[in-house]
Structure formats: structure tokens, C-alpha cells
Amino acid sequence: MADLFGFLFIIDIFSLILGVIKPSIFQKIFKSKILTRKFILKIFGISAIVLLILIGIFAEPVVKQDNQEAESNIKLKLYPVTQVVDGDTIKVNLDGQSETIRLIGIDTPETVDPRKVVQCFGLEASNKAKELLSGKQVGLEADSTQGERDKYNRLLRYVILEDGTSFNKLMIAEGYAHEYTYQSNPYIYQTDFKAAENNARAQGLGLWNVNACNGDTVQAASDLKSEGTVVPVPASNVVDTRQEQTINLASPNLEDGLTPQVKKSTNDICHEKGTTYYTRTKNFEPFNSIDECLASGGRLPK
């Protein structure tokens, strides 16, 4: 109906203009010998107002999308996930180049840091990330409030699943991760992520369950022995089943007669000479530089 009234409104305006120019055109219609411009303006002016009112009444309402819904409809470019390091760190093929992605706004319990035991609910978080991301493609969303990369040169991003779901928020909402604000610097989804954490905590989901970690993921994950004793599980025992490697001074990665500048541990973590855990790393593959270590598939410590 709105379209019909719109069409009539256009005819009305056209007739108004024509009648003002030459009023005599409408003498037969109005059966009047003398038509004034004032009369023409009155007749067609009133009808124009009526038609405008009818257009407004019958016009279909415009549904306004909120910002979050509008953003979800934006088609993000998808990138293949090449490795799920843990619950909050992944690797993707970014236009032919491997990039490590550190997820913004979340922190999951440790599983791959050789300096720490596997933390409570760490394996569950890591396995959930692998379930959702392994072999999949994801969208990446930057946040100008957090910068482009962290101190380990990892890209800082929100990860978006193919169906438009925020993976970062999902991990928090289902109790696999804590909300994490780096150095008290608010990020764009901070309010939303904090609300998701509060809801997960209220429902006792995942790491918030009293029979799991009760929110304290700093404690070690444990093996319950038959006699009831609790034994912490070292990270290296869980995440790396390879045989221990011993140093090979004849390695092509090492200059003759020199100690290695970088040691890559059996967990693929690159420890540079002079850092705290360099001397503690006994089983390693040697490299002359941190770039060589990273190029071999190694990664920086968290």
C-alpha cells in the first residue's frame, strides 16, 4: 500500500505544478469556468499531505541491527589452523606464512610451559580448543586497543569460528578459560567477556566447578593413585612423548666449537642464551639464533 500511495503522491505533485502553471487544464475536472492558482494549491496541497500521512502509516518498519549483530554479518576472511598450541594460542596459515596467534581477552591453564606443571583444567582447555579448531578455518579480528603483536611477536587477535561464533568468548562462557585483561588495558569486548565469566562461575562450569579447580587453576593437575595420594603431573610428561634428545656438538645448526646461542627444548620452546631457563634446559636441539629456532617449528616461552 505504501508504494501505491507513493505513486499517487508523485502524480499529485506533478498535477500541482502543472495546475499552478496553467490552471485551465483542470477546468473540466472541477467543472469550474474560472480556476485560480490559489484553488489549485489548496486542492493538491491538501491531497499531498493526506498521501504523505498514508505513506507513513503503511510503510514497513525498519529493523535496526545492533552493532554486534551487524558485525557478525560481516564476512571475515578465513585462514587454516595449522596447530593448536594450547587453549589460548594457535598457529594459522596467514596467506602462505605461518603465524602464531595469541588470543585477546582470555587465559587458559598452562599445559606446554616446561617451567610449570600442567595446571588444573589445562588439558581440558587444550583438548576443547583442539576439538573446535583442529583442521578448521577461522576468521581473525584485530583490536587497536591491544596493539598488533605481543612481546613474543605473536599476533594478537580474536578468533572467529566459521559460523560467526567468537571462540575467545566461547572458551570463557563454557568454563575453559579465565577472562584476561593484559596490564589493566581494556579491550573492546571486555564487558562482554567479563559477563560470560561471571555466568560460567555462577553455574559452576568447567574450571569453576568445585569438583574441578573451583576457579583456582594455578594448582597442578593431578593423578589420583589407588591409595588416594595426589601426585602433580609435570608438563613434559603429558605434552611430549618423544625420546629425550641429547646435545650434538656436530649439529649443522651449531657453529663448530661454540656453545649454542639458543636451545630448543623437547617441548619446542626456544630458550635464548642468558635467559633464566637456558641453563636449566638439559635436553635440547641447538641453534645459532632465535630466528633459526623459530623457523624449525619452535616457539617462544609465554
Side-chain angles (χ1 to χ4, degrees):
M1 289 295 293
D3 292 339
L4 174 60
F5 291 130
F7 177 71
L8 293 176
F9 176 78
I10 293 172
I11 294 176
D12 184 87
I13 296 299
F14 178 77
S15 300
L16 174 62
I17 296 171
L18 190 62
V20 169
I21 296 172
K22 192 174 183 180
S24 60
I25 293 176
F26 295 99
Q27 282 184 344
K28 290 184 178 180
I29 298 175
F30 294 105
K31 298 180 180 180
S32 175
K33 294 182 178 179
I34 301 176
L35 283 178
T36 64
R37 288 183 173 85
K38 185 177 180 180
F39 178 81
I40 293 294
L41 285 170
K42 181 179 179 180
I43 293 297
F44 289 108
I46 292 173
S47 62
I49 293 172
V50 172
L51 287 169
L52 281 175
I53 293 172
L54 291 172
I55 290 171
I57 292 173
F58 290 96
E60 294 183 3
V62 177
V63 179
K64 185 178 180 180
Q65 292 180 316
D66 59 31
N67 290 336
Q68 188 172 359
E69 183 182 356
E71 289 174 4
S72 68
N73 288 334
I74 298 174
K75 183 77 171 177
L76 288 175
K77 184 176 180 179
L78 298 177
Y79 302 95
V81 176
T82 58
Q83 182 183 350
V84 178
V85 179
D86 57 21
D88 55 36
T89 309
I90 66 172
K91 292 185 179 183
V92 300
N93 184 332
L94 197 64
D95 297 327
Q97 181 175 347
S98 178
E99 285 280 5
T100 301
I101 310 298
R102 176 61 170 88
L103 277 64
I104 301 172
I106 78 170
D107 186 47
T108 58
E110 296 292 345
T111 59
V112 295
D113 192 334
R115 299 167 294 182
K116 302 175 182 178
V117 296
V118 173
Q119 293 180 334
C120 184
F121 225 72
L123 290 176
E124 289 85 348
S126 183
N127 289 337
K128 184 64 175 180
K130 290 175 181 176
E131 173 191 332
L132 294 173
L133 301 177
S134 293
K136 303 294 178 61
Q137 296 189 100
V138 296
L140 300 175
E141 181 183 353
D143 186 339
S144 60
T145 69
Q146 302 301 299
E148 181 71 3
R149 296 178 183 270
D150 67 5
K151 62 182 179 180
Y152 300 119
N153 203 38
R154 298 176 297 189
L155 282 176
L156 297 171
R157 294 290 187 269
Y158 301 101
V159 170
I160 312 300
L161 302 181
E162 291 186 64
D163 64 358
T165 300
S166 167
F167 173 76
N168 305 47
K169 181 181 177 182
L170 177 65
M171 291 291 281
I172 298 173
E174 295 192 358
Y176 290 100
H178 291 278
E179 183 279 328
Y180 177 61
T181 303
Y182 180 68
Q183 294 186 345
S184 302
N185 179 27
Y187 51 95
I188 57 177
Y189 297 118
Q190 184 189 57
T191 300
D192 201 20
F193 285 14
K194 283 183 176 291
E197 180 181 83
N198 290 337
N199 185 60
R201 181 184 303 189
Q203 295 187 59
L205 301 178
L207 60 84
W208 300 105
N209 193 294
V210 293
N211 296 318
C213 315
N214 200 24
D216 178 17
T217 54
V218 176
Q219 61 183 303
S222 305
D223 278 341
L224 297 178
K225 303 299 181 181
S226 57
E227 60 269 29
T229 58
V230 178
V231 181
V233 182
S236 58
N237 289 352
V238 177
V239 298
D240 199 331
T241 58
R242 297 177 296 177
Q243 294 294 320
E244 291 186 349
Q245 300 177 25
T246 57
I247 182 170
N248 177 9
L249 294 178
S251 170
N253 297 321
L254 186 64
E255 295 177 1
D256 293 339
L258 297 178
T259 56
Q261 291 297 314
V262 180
K263 296 177 179 179
K264 185 170 79 170
S265 71
T266 54
N267 289 320
D268 292 333
I269 298 178
C270 300
H271 296 289
E272 198 165 10
K273 192 174 183 179
T275 59
T276 303
Y277 290 91
Y278 175 87
T279 55
R280 299 185 189 181
T281 304
K282 303 301 181 183
N283 301 307
F284 59 87
E285 184 179 355
F287 291 90
N288 286 317
S289 69
I290 196 73
D291 289 337
E292 287 183 6
C293 185
L294 295 174
S296 74
R299 63 183 181 83
L300 294 168
K302 284 194 174 183

